[in-house]
């Protein structure tokens, strides 16, 4: 990460976040990690036991369920974080507003902001892994994690290149039958779809956009993916088919609607596994 720099000191290092603010510390012992991909990185590096607080957006690993929660991933509680007495708040830039970060710093809590978890896909993920590994002085573990990502992505690339046509895949984010959004470019989901060898059917937009029947028909997805909890909230596949325009698409007609992990919007260490599962489901032959 070009905007995160480290320089050696006697007992600590300086790390500069993407917000231009610098923290100086040795390996942290009490971390509040806001963003589920950071939680997964910390556990993957063997530092999960340093996490004393996290947001409610994570589902993995199971051990994270026992960690104190500090609220919504986009609106964490300042009071909740302060009460945990962390020696570092580690977050990505989409999760902490400048005002929230300033409040925490005014309470004399170091805050390190890393780049958006959807930026640059797997390359951005590897940069965040590298920073976290250096932060905890476990560079070899970080190197192994990035090498494993490279290996998994290479295997996915081989499978995808063997398929002549890229299916059009659309992600629907739904809270219930009356509210749904599509995810376009510059999102973690866009990265996921491309990793799975597909084409984002909502690449006509950037970020999120409210679902409309007209937009869904124009997108004409071959498959639709939804969070597990989103698909459950709309009443399963039958409920999803009642969302605006869905029944008029190839995905709707073929009931090609797949449930995916609830944390999938943030690019994390399991992304190649998610993508591989989607690739398999998309290309599975219909049951006779």
């Amino acid at each position: 990460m070009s905007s995160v720099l480290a320089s050696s000191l006697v007992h600590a290092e300086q790390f500069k976040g993407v917000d231009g603010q610098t923290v100086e510390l040795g390996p942290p012992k009490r971390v509040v990690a806001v963003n589920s991909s950071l939680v997964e990185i910390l556990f993957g590096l063997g530092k999960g036991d340093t996490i004393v607080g996290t947001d409610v957006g994570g589902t993995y690993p199971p051990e994270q369920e026992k960690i104190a929660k500090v609220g919504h991933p986009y609106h964490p509680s300042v009071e909740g974080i302060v009460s945990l007495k962390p020696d570092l708040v580690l977050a990505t830039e989409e999760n902490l507003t400048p005002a929230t970060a300033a409040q925490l710093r005014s309470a004399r809590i170091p805050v390190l902001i890393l780049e958006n978890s959807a930026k640059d896909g797997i390359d951005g993920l590897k940069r965040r892994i590298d920073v976290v590994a250096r932060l905890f002085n476990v560079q070899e573990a970080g190197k192994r994690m990035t090498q494993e990502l490279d290996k998994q992505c290479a295997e996915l690339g081989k499978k995808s290149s063997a398929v002549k046509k890229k299916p059009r895949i659309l992600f629907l984010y739904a809270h219930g039958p009356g509210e749904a959004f599509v995810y376009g470019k510059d999102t973690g989901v866009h990265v996921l779809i491309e990793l799975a060898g597909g084409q984002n059917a909502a690449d006509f937009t950037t970020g999120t956009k409210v679902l409309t029947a007209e937009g869904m028909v124009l997108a004409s997805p071959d498959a639709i993916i939804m969070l597990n909890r989103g698909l459950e909230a709309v009443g399963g596949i039958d409920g999803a088919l009642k969302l605006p325009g869905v029944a008029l698409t190839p995905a709707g007609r073929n009931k090609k609607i797949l449930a995916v992990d609830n944390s999938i919007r943030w690019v994390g260490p399991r992304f190649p596994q998610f993508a591989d599962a989607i690739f398999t489901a998309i290309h599975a032959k219909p049951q006779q």
Side-chain angles (χ1 to χ4, degrees):
M1 181 189 302
S2 60
S3 55
V4 177
L5 306 173
S7 60
S8 297
L9 299 177
V10 177
H11 299 296
E13 289 190 70
Q14 288 185 335
F15 289 83
K16 186 176 182 180
V18 293
D19 60 348
Q21 299 298 309
T22 299
V23 297
E24 180 178 327
L25 72 168
K29 294 181 172 58
R30 295 181 60 82
V31 180
V32 170
V34 185
N35 186 287
S36 61
S37 73
L38 293 179
V39 171
E40 294 190 24
I41 289 171
L42 283 166
F43 272 98
L45 295 177
K47 294 299 176 181
D49 59 351
T50 66
I51 308 174
V52 296
T54 185
D55 61 81
V56 299
T59 60
Y60 184 88
E63 293 91 323
Q64 62 83 31
E65 294 180 4
K66 299 177 181 177
I67 298 173
K69 298 299 184 283
V70 297
H72 192 278
Y74 291 128
H75 312 288
S77 164
V78 171
E79 293 78 9
I81 293 174
V82 172
S83 70
L84 295 171
K85 300 179 180 178
D87 57 9
L88 177 67
V89 173
L90 186 63
T92 52
E93 58 186 330
E94 71 267 40
N95 298 112
L96 284 190
T97 65
T100 301
Q103 281 184 281
L104 292 167
R105 286 168 178 143
S106 69
R108 298 182 180 280
I109 296 175
V111 178
L112 181 61
I113 308 291
L114 305 186
E115 62 186 320
N116 189 303
S117 66
K119 184 177 180 181
D120 290 345
I122 296 298
D123 286 340
L125 170 61
K126 291 194 293 186
R127 290 196 294 270
R128 296 198 307 281
I129 291 170
D130 177 66
V131 172
V132 177
R134 285 190 287 124
L135 188 62
F136 285 85
N137 196 26
V138 289
Q139 289 89 334
E140 282 302 314
K143 187 177 180 181
R144 288 194 295 273
M145 185 179 283
T146 56
Q147 287 175 336
E148 179 62 24
L149 280 170
D150 286 339
K151 177 185 173 184
Q152 293 175 346
C153 288
E155 291 171 352
L156 260 175
K158 287 181 182 177
K159 292 170 69 172
S160 297
S161 62
V163 178
K164 294 182 179 178
K165 181 184 176 183
K166 288 186 175 183
R168 296 176 61 79
I169 305 173
L170 185 139
F171 175 70
L172 266 184
Y173 180 75
H175 294 295
E179 185 179 22
F181 301 86
V182 299
Y183 275 49
K185 296 178 180 177
D186 294 339
T187 64
V189 170
H190 185 84
V191 176
L192 175 75
I193 291 171
E194 291 196 333
L195 262 183
Q199 176 186 350
N200 188 356
D203 62 2
F204 52 81
T205 189
T206 299
T208 61
K209 188 174 185 178
V210 174
L211 169 68
T212 65
E214 294 80 7
M216 178 60 77
V217 172
L218 282 174
S220 189
D222 300 306
I224 293 172
I225 56 178
M226 299 180 68
L227 299 183
N228 280 306
R229 59 181 168 79
L231 186 57
E232 182 179 346
V234 300
I237 291 177
D238 289 340
L241 291 172
K242 297 176 183 175
L243 292 171
V246 170
L248 302 175
T249 67
R253 289 192 290 272
N254 296 317
K255 295 187 177 180
K256 205 77 169 181
I257 300 173
L258 312 171
V260 295
D261 189 277
N262 289 334
S263 63
I264 215 161
R265 290 174 294 165
W266 296 283
V267 182
R270 291 182 297 154
F271 240 53
Q273 298 173 42
F274 294 149
D276 190 55
I278 291 173
F279 178 91
T280 300
I282 296 299
H283 295 288
K285 293 181 179 178
Q287 294 183 348
Q288 300 298 318

